[in-house]
Amino acid sequence: MNRTDQLSLSATRRRSDEIEVELAAKPEQFRVLTGDRPTGPLHVGHLFGTLLNRVRLQDAGADVMVVIADYQTLTDRDAPDSLPVDVLNLVADYLAVGLDPSRCTIFAHSQVPALNQLFVPFLSLVTVAELRRNPTVKAEFDASDRATMNALMLTYPVHQAADLLFCHSNLVPVGKDQLPHLELSRAIARRFNDRYSPHQPYFTMPEGLLSDAPLLLGTDGQKMSKSRKNAIALGATEDETARLIRGAKTDSERMITYEPDRRPEVANLVLLASLCSGLRPEQIVHDVGTGGSAHLKQMVVDAINEYLRPIRSRRQSLVGEPDHLRKILADGVEQANAIGDRTLGEVRRLTHTVYSFAA
Ligand code: TRP
């Protein structure tokens, strides 16, 4: 991380602490936007990394919008014919963990034309050099199996800016890898306002809310990820969970300790058990003692399965009611379209693209 990124990280961290105080006092002042690409089922990394935080913000009284970023899947793959089912399963994941459609808005990119139209003027506000510099885009391209970068991959941070700005969100829960995108969204808002609405800024500046959620690794010690088959899906069965954890990479030391730097894979299992059981890592390692990784793994399996049991049972009944899930998505899409149409109307007015065609 270079010095500028370091500075922006520490500034965001400081500001996040202040925002938490404002949130507690006046939650209704916040519109939160976050989302996921529908590339597969959500897993425990998502749960502890972002989903529980979304539920917390919703329950605190903030207005939470969740985008299912289906267009963004086209950055590194072709749209599969399973997409409609994948999207409904994502809705089921959200509801199962506690997002409540009467208090939040769940919608899909492709169903909100006005949001997507903002992409056009926004593209004119950024330079190709700026996009080429974005470290997260580079990393995602390297992690993909594509040989060349398509233009959507290069420009998706601009599309993501449309997500944040179309609904005037002022708060974006982020991990550090998303900070470059947030910076770009803020630049687009600032440039649009300077150019088209200098006296009365039109777009709201979104701010990042850095989470202190610990980063969970997958069972192979790499980043937990849907595509690496190293992730425990929220919807996995108890047996699948046990099989994955039993196959997790560890080491041969009998004495279990919590040393994230020296023993990352073992520490990751301890952390999982800790998050699911509510016990501190020190307590977990004390309980396992010299029981070795087999004992630790059994403890992790029990902790995860117990923690996820009510979530899985809710998820299963939801998946059995696809019409209900479709209705929730349709309602969210309708709300997002109402917001998007209003914003696009203002943007057209400000960019002088309102014409009267009356005969
Ligand atoms: N890019 C995010 C991801 O890959 C998904 C996403 C799309 C998103 N739009 C967003 C996240 C807006 C936060 C805010 O997971």
Side-chain angles (χ1 to χ4, degrees):
M1 194 181 276
N2 68 31
R3 199 174 141 65
T4 325
D5 293 342
Q6 202 77 54
L7 279 175
S8 124
L9 181 61
S10 57
T12 311
R13 189 152 283 146
R14 233 175 301 118
R15 180 68 189 125
S16 294
D17 292 340
E18 290 170 13
I19 291 174
E20 288 291 353
V21 175
E22 292 170 26
L23 252 167
K26 292 193 174 163
E28 67 286 351
Q29 289 187 342
F30 291 92
R31 170 164 280 171
V32 176
L33 185 120
T34 65
D36 306 280
R37 299 196 308 153
T39 51
L42 296 180
H43 53 64
V44 293
H46 296 113
L47 181 67
F48 293 110
T50 99
L51 297 174
L52 292 178
N53 193 38
R54 294 179 197 173
V55 175
R56 176 182 75 95
L57 293 166
Q58 165 198 274
D59 291 349
D63 178 2
V64 176
M65 302 201 53
V66 182
V67 60
I68 296 178
D70 53 357
Y71 271 168
Q72 265 193 30
T73 63
L74 302 177
T75 54
D76 63 359
R77 65 199 73 201
D78 301 333
D81 55 10
S82 62
L83 201 51
V85 176
D86 298 344
V87 167
L88 283 194
N89 284 339
L90 208 52
V91 177
D93 283 333
Y94 291 151
L95 303 191
V97 300
L99 285 174
D100 170 1
S102 71
R103 290 180 290 158
C104 73
T105 307
I106 300 170
F107 66 99
H109 261 158
S110 61
Q111 308 302 303
V112 186
L115 181 162
N116 292 292
Q117 271 207 45
L118 296 179
F119 198 32
V120 176
F122 287 2
L123 281 170
S124 76
L125 299 169
V126 297
T127 67
V128 172
E130 244 172 338
L131 294 171
R132 288 218 175 104
R133 269 200 304 272
N134 186 306
T136 304
V137 172
K138 280 191 209 158
E140 284 176 10
F141 172 65
D142 290 341
S144 78
D145 54 10
R146 299 272 149 141
T148 51
M149 191 183 301
N150 65 42
L152 183 61
M153 171 86 98
L154 181 69
T155 56
Y156 90 78
V158 182
H159 195 250
Q160 193 154 314
D163 298 344
L164 301 185
L165 303 186
F166 99 100
C167 64
H168 299 273
S169 65
N170 53 4
L171 195 58
V172 195
V174 282
K176 349 188 240 276
D177 63 325
Q178 295 287 310
L179 285 179
H181 300 345
L182 184 62
E183 259 334 296
L184 189 73
S185 296
R186 292 168 58 84
I188 290 173
R190 201 178 310 115
R191 290 170 197 170
F192 184 95
N193 291 342
D194 286 351
R195 220 170 276 187
Y196 297 109
S197 192
H199 303 300
Q200 197 184 6
Y202 176 64
F203 280 117
T204 310
M205 286 289 192
E207 292 196 281
L209 184 66
L210 269 180
S211 91
D212 48 14
L215 185 70
L216 280 170
L217 303 176
T219 49
D220 54 359
Q222 310 281 319
K223 181 179 171 197
M224 194 183 285
S225 134
K226 298 169 234 187
S227 50
R228 289 202 179 97
K229 300 198 183 353
N230 64 0
I232 294 122
L234 298 180
T237 64
E238 301 205 352
D239 285 347
E240 284 161 356
T241 304
R243 223 174 304 130
L244 256 171
I245 295 295
R246 289 205 189 103
K249 187 170 168 202
T250 48
D251 58 34
S252 56
E253 291 180 41
R254 299 286 311 164
M255 181 72 183
I256 294 303
T257 56
Y258 184 60
E259 296 173 87
D261 289 332
R262 191 175 73 83
R263 304 175 75 185
E265 294 90 1
V266 169
N268 188 58
L269 288 175
V270 173
L271 182 59
L272 258 171
S274 160
L275 290 167
C276 290
S277 65
L279 298 172
R280 292 162 45 78
E282 294 72 22
Q283 183 69 46
I284 307 274
V285 300
H286 176 264
D287 291 351
V288 181
T290 53
S293 40
H295 184 168
L296 173 62
K297 285 177 176 177
Q298 191 52 50
M299 197 158 173
V300 176
V301 170
D302 293 343
I304 297 181
N305 282 341
E306 190 166 327
Y307 185 87
L308 291 184
R309 204 163 290 136
I311 294 176
R312 283 171 169 166
S313 127
R314 274 195 297 276
R315 187 181 187 282
Q316 202 170 0
S317 18
L318 287 159
V319 168
E321 290 181 82
D323 285 344
H324 174 62
L325 296 174
R326 280 191 200 101
K327 170 85 172 80
I328 286 167
L329 188 60
D331 288 349
V333 163
E334 191 181 322
Q335 288 170 40
N337 271 309
I339 296 170
D341 290 346
R342 220 176 306 130
T343 301
L344 184 62
E346 281 302 299
V347 166
R348 284 199 173 129
R349 189 176 63 76
L350 293 166
T351 57
H352 319 294
T353 46
V354 179
Y355 314 111
S356 171
F357 291 119

